[in-house]
Amino acid sequence: QVQLVESGGGLVQPGGSLRLSCLASGSRFSLNAMGWYRQAPGKERELVARITSGGTTNYADSVKGRFTISRDNAKNTVYLQMNSLKPEDTAVYYCTNGNYYPGQGYVFGYWGQGTQVTVSS
């Protein structure tokens, strides 16, 4: 049973930074693709960033240049460093676990419980 536990959310002022962490258990973490998605009130869940087992990353256009996804396979943890935060980044952020298949793309199957990020003055 794969379990994903997010942490690091909170309240931050516009222009500030936060680092989210997601600890994975019950899977062969180093072989998995990992991702961060977010869902704001009244909106659909959307991609924030993804990383393959080999470290290839991709980002939503709205966060490029501000957010960085990374992974530490020794700690079974994926991170999301968020800089220059904006009020529109306010959402519940979810960690997800799956695989990347060349020609098919990412397939995610497990999700964490989410962590709230609020950007407000």
Side-chain angles (χ1 to χ4, degrees), residues 2-4 22 24-29 31-35 71 95-99 107-112:
V2 176
Q3 290 189 324
L4 304 171
C22 173
S25 61
S27 73
R28 299 184 68 180
F29 180 83
L31 301 181
N32 292 143
M34 300 295 296
R71 63 190 300 157
C95 174
T96 183
N97 167 288
N99 292 288
V107 178
F108 290 121
Y110 296 95
W111 296 84

Side-chain angles (χ1 to χ4, degrees), residues 9-18 82 85-87 90 117-121:
L11 173 65
V12 63
Q13 292 186 344
S17 298
L18 282 176
M82 305 185 294
L85 282 160
K86 304 175 181 180
T90 295
V117 171
T118 302
V119 184
S120 175
S121 55

Side-chain angles (χ1 to χ4, degrees), residues 47-108:
L47 168 71
V48 177
R50 300 178 294 199
I51 185 168
T52 67
S53 58
T56 300
T57 59
N58 74 299
Y59 298 88
D61 287 343
S62 59
V63 307
K64 280 181 182 177
R66 301 188 298 122
F67 291 11
T68 303
I69 188 171
S70 62
R71 63 190 300 157
D72 185 336
N73 291 337
K75 295 182 178 180
N76 283 7
T77 300
V78 64
Y79 303 98
L80 184 68
Q81 178 67 44
M82 305 185 294
N83 299 327
S84 302
L85 282 160
K86 304 175 181 180
E88 51 263 44
D89 295 317
T90 295
V92 177
Y93 283 70
Y94 296 92
C95 174
T96 183
N97 167 288
N99 292 288
Y100 176 80
Y101 302 99
Q104 181 178 349
Y106 290 87
V107 178
F108 290 121

